[in-house]
Amino acid sequence: MTRTDRLYALVEELRAVAPRPRSARWLADRFGVSSRTIERDLSALQQSGVPIWAEPGRTGGYCLDTTHTLAPLGFTVDEALAVMVALGTLAESPFRDSATSALRKIVAVTDDRSLRETADLASRIHLLGDEKPAEAPSGLAAALHTGQVLRISYTDRDGGTTERDVEPMGFVGKGDNWYLIAWCRLRDGLRAFRGDRIADAEPLTERAPRRTLRAEDLGIVEGRLRAIGPGQDPA
């Protein structure tokens, strides 16, 4: 069994018995390696974002939080390539950290042959963009998930900088640029904030009220706006 296969199997073993723990010694016997090797494997999985934690004590061991993981998807090479390309397009977006973590997880559970084939195909694909823009503050994407009001420092197109509290409502991507769509309390209206012009984004303890975001409210006059998600036409 290769290390990649073992990492995949470790996750599935812990998923099968969750929330009960498995000890490193039990897992070592199961996979025919040393306890130290298992501990290194589990550490690698943890660092890649897989929600595994250790329970201390004589009956303790390693547990997997199944509520924060997906069952194995069994990607074909073409599917894995499509996911890899899609994640690569997010390298300059507010979702870059999550995209990097997701890519590590895909690599961790892909068998060696398929991974080599996918990597070879991916090496032939390049993304053409403008000069690399400045990165948006890390954690900006989490605002949609947490629902918290953000206090941002924003520089407009004329170079003027303001500090304002905004209620995040969504994102719009265009080329290399990503825009935070939010209700601006300073202007008392809907605004689009370009990610690379947001110098700082501090989440406040206040949760934003629920507002409905409609495509027509964005006032987009150029291009075609399309949604992303299950059931949406990717074309």
Side-chain angles (χ1 to χ4, degrees):
M1 177 181 287
T2 66
R3 183 169 187 261
T4 299
D5 290 338
R6 190 172 62 250
L7 290 174
Y8 180 91
L10 276 170
V11 172
E12 293 315 302
E13 177 62 40
L14 293 177
R15 188 196 307 278
V17 298
R20 291 177 291 137
R22 286 291 197 208
S23 69
R25 178 176 297 179
W26 191 98
L27 292 168
D29 291 341
R30 166 71 175 79
F31 294 105
V33 295
S34 68
S35 294
R36 180 172 296 182
T37 296
I38 290 295
E39 288 170 353
R40 283 199 298 264
D41 288 348
L42 292 171
S43 177
L45 288 168
Q46 288 171 324
Q47 291 174 25
S48 72
V50 179
I52 296 172
W53 74 95
E55 286 192 353
R58 186 174 60 84
T59 60
Y62 291 91
C63 304
L64 175 72
D65 184 355
T66 58
T67 64
H68 289 82
T69 62
L70 291 173
L73 300 178
F75 287 130
T76 66
V77 169
D78 287 340
E79 289 169 342
L81 177 64
V83 172
M84 191 174 292
V85 171
L87 293 174
T89 66
L90 300 177
E92 307 300 333
S93 79
F95 311 98
R96 62 184 181 277
D97 293 340
S98 295
T100 300
S101 175
L103 183 57
R104 284 199 300 264
K105 291 180 181 179
I106 291 173
V107 169
V109 298
T110 302
D111 66 87
D112 289 343
R113 184 190 62 79
S114 296
L115 184 60
R116 285 194 301 269
E117 188 174 348
T118 301
D120 176 66
L121 292 171
S123 69
R124 308 182 206 176
I125 299 171
H126 298 80
L127 302 174
L128 180 64
D130 298 325
E131 184 177 346
K132 181 179 178 180
E135 294 182 344
S138 61
L140 188 63
L144 291 184
H145 175 69
T146 64
Q148 291 171 278
V149 175
L150 289 180
R151 179 161 294 163
I152 65 173
S153 177
Y154 188 71
T155 302
D156 62 27
R157 68 179 64 183
D158 298 320
T161 300
T162 55
E163 185 177 272
R164 56 184 84 191
D165 292 351
V166 301
E167 303 169 12
M169 298 172 65
F171 286 94
V172 169
K174 181 181 181 183
D176 289 333
N177 294 316
W178 282 80
Y179 296 82
L180 168 67
I181 309 301
W183 186 267
C184 177
R185 292 182 174 179
L186 179 65
R187 305 303 185 202
D188 193 28
L190 188 68
R191 292 292 186 274
F193 301 96
R194 211 170 87 176
D196 60 340
R197 291 179 181 166
I198 302 175
D200 186 55
E202 176 191 356
L204 305 181
T205 56
E206 179 188 356
R207 291 192 175 276
R210 182 74 174 179
R211 296 182 185 272
T212 301
L213 177 61
R214 301 179 305 172
E216 55 266 32
D217 294 334
L218 298 177
I220 294 176
V221 296
E222 296 181 1
R224 179 174 66 91
L225 189 69
R226 58 184 177 88
I228 295 175
Q232 301 297 334
D233 182 1

